[in-house]
């Protein structure tokens, strides 16, 4: 599908992030004029190499966001701002995601205010659908099922921030794309390194489900949502939600590691935190049927099995 209309100027907030680095070139390749943001001047060259107009923007500074959006005069805004460090800290998720949580709350507010001031109604924002489906009933959830905010766990602030993005963006007439657990270049080290060191065990029975999505496919879904001026919530995940006792041993084999250890839940709790125990034993994955049906989304990596082999092999 070609961009609709005479003008198709896109603004990618977070253009140098793991999704942005795939999204920007895909938009450019489809004929969009793209302005993309970075948090420092040293990263502007990367955006220019991808074919974008590059600007420095602080997503937590309302005036910085307003100035960047006003100058770009976009027809659509893609919100990909995160600050997730490469080194995973699952036990202290709240610290690991602290700045990202602010970008998903304060940063989203700043972008929506700038969008409204510039007359931009086509806003697409990144949310999350990895293992946070409501922990009741079946293992696979649709957009009609509520997400689990994991209250009482270290993951609550992360899930609440993602839920905030969805709420305000959809109310503003935009689309929230719930990405599965992202993997691919730049997005996998936080998982792969602990797996290689046998520091990522199967907890309890490992029956909790996770949905994955490759960075390329997350970006291609975003392109479609931008071009179709999508509205509402979409699960952007691959075709195979899977239990931890299935995907984790497979991942270990794919990266040349020894099989993961098995740790009982009572022991893992004090070591890794209650959210990790929950995701490994109670997590729920997601269905991508709506995104395929309504956006015409086709995945390059329909299963993490193929994706892990092609993207993460040692």
């Amino acid at each position: 599908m070609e961009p609709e209309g005479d003008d198709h100027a896109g603004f990618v907030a977070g253009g140098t992030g793991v999704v942005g680095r795939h999204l920007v070139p895909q938009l450019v390749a489809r004929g969009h004029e793209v302005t993309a943001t970075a948090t420092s001047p040293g990263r502007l060259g990367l955006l220019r190499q991808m074919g974008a107009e590059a600007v420095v923007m602080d997503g937590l500074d309302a005036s910085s966001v307003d100035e960047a959006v006003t100058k770009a005069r976009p027809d659509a805004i893609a919100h990909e701002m995160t600050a997730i460090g490469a080194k995973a800290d699952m036990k202290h998720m709240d610290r690991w995601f602290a700045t990202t949580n602010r970008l998903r709350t304060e940063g989203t507010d700043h972008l929506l205010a700038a969008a409204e001031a510039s007359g931009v109604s086509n806003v697409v924002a990144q949310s999350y659908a990895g293992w946070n489906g409501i922990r009741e009933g079946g293992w696979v959830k649709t957009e009609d099922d509520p997400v689990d905010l994991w209250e009482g766990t270290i993951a609550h602030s992360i899930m609440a921030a993602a839920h905030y993005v969805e709420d305000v963006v959809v109310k503003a007439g935009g689309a929230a794309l719930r990405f599965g657990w992202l993997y691919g270049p730049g997005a996998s080290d936080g998982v792969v390194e602990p797996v290689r060191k046998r520091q990522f065990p199967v907890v309890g029975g490992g029956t909790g489900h996770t949905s994955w999505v490759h960075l390329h496919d997350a970006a291609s879904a975003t392109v479609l949502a931008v071009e179709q001026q999508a509205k509402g919530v979409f699960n952007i995940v691959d075709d195979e939600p899977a239990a931890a006792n299935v995907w984790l041993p497979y991942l270990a084999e794919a990266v040349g590691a020894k099989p993961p250890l098995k740790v009982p839940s009572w022991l893992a709790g004090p070591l890794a935190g209650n959210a990790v125990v929950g995701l490994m034993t109670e997590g729920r994955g997601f269905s991508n049927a709506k995104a395929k049906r309504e956006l015409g989304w086709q995945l390059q990596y329909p299963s993490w099995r193929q994706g892990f082999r092609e993207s993460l092999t040692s």
Side-chain angles (χ1 to χ4, degrees):
M1 175 183 296
E2 292 299 319
E4 296 181 1
D6 295 329
D7 298 317
H8 38 269
F11 184 91
V12 179
T16 59
V18 291
V19 176
R21 291 198 297 269
H22 284 74
L23 175 59
V24 170
Q26 287 189 32
L27 286 169
V28 170
R30 290 173 69 89
H32 296 269
E33 297 175 2
V34 178
T35 298
T37 75
T39 55
S40 66
R43 309 191 78 184
L44 296 180
L46 173 62
L47 295 174
R48 294 187 183 112
Q49 289 173 14
M50 294 188 287
E53 182 75 22
V55 298
V56 174
M57 186 184 83
D58 179 356
L60 297 177
D61 183 326
S63 61
S64 177
V65 175
D66 183 67
E67 181 181 351
V69 172
T70 300
K71 185 177 180 181
R73 301 178 62 189
D75 302 297
I77 294 175
H79 176 5
E80 308 298 337
M81 295 188 296
T82 60
I84 305 169
K87 185 174 176 58
D89 188 355
M90 299 290 284
K91 186 176 182 180
H92 305 104
M93 288 185 197
D94 55 342
R95 298 181 206 165
W96 185 26
F97 273 76
T99 303
T100 295
N101 291 343
R102 290 187 63 200
L103 288 167
R104 287 177 171 167
T105 51
E106 299 166 47
T108 301
D109 287 344
H110 298 333
L111 270 178
L112 289 177
E116 184 177 12
S118 295
V120 181
S121 59
N122 186 7
V123 178
V124 178
Q126 174 186 151
S127 186
Y128 185 65
W131 41 269
N132 52 319
I134 193 74
R135 286 173 288 172
E136 57 187 42
W139 292 105
V140 182
K141 304 301 179 184
T142 72
E143 290 84 353
D144 293 329
D145 296 304
V147 291
D148 198 316
L149 297 183
W150 287 75
E151 295 180 14
T153 77
I154 205 75
H156 175 62
S157 62
I158 301 167
M159 301 310 171
H163 184 69
Y164 182 86
V165 172
E166 295 181 11
D167 184 48
V168 297
V169 169
V170 171
K171 283 180 179 175
L177 305 188
R178 293 175 175 167
F179 295 157
W181 197 335
L182 291 164
Y183 71 96
S188 307
D189 291 350
V191 175
V192 170
E193 288 311 307
V195 168
R196 284 199 171 113
K197 297 174 182 176
R198 301 192 88 192
Q199 295 173 350
F200 201 134
V202 175
V203 175
T207 52
H209 278 51
T210 294
S211 281
W212 295 86
V213 68
H214 192 281
L215 291 167
H216 173 90
D217 291 324
S220 70
T222 306
V223 172
L224 292 173
V226 166
E227 292 181 351
Q228 298 175 34
Q229 300 183 37
K231 302 180 187 300
V233 175
F234 297 84
N235 296 333
I236 304 302
V237 298
D238 74 14
D239 294 346
E240 192 178 356
N245 60 21
V246 176
W247 66 257
L248 186 49
Y250 190 97
L251 173 57
E253 182 184 353
V255 301
K258 294 180 179 178
L261 300 171
K262 295 182 179 180
V263 176
S265 297
W266 64 265
L267 180 58
L271 293 175
N274 51 9
V276 172
V277 174
L279 79 89
M280 297 285 280
T281 60
E282 299 181 279
R284 281 355 188 227
F286 294 84
S287 165
N288 62 16
K290 179 182 177 183
K292 286 182 167 181
R293 182 179 67 249
E294 296 190 13
L295 300 178
W297 184 45
Q298 297 180 337
L299 289 86
Q300 182 170 318
Y301 299 94
S303 170
W304 47 267
R305 296 177 188 272
Q306 170 199 2
F308 287 177
R309 289 288 183 189
E310 294 185 16
S311 300
L312 307 181
T313 49
S314 56

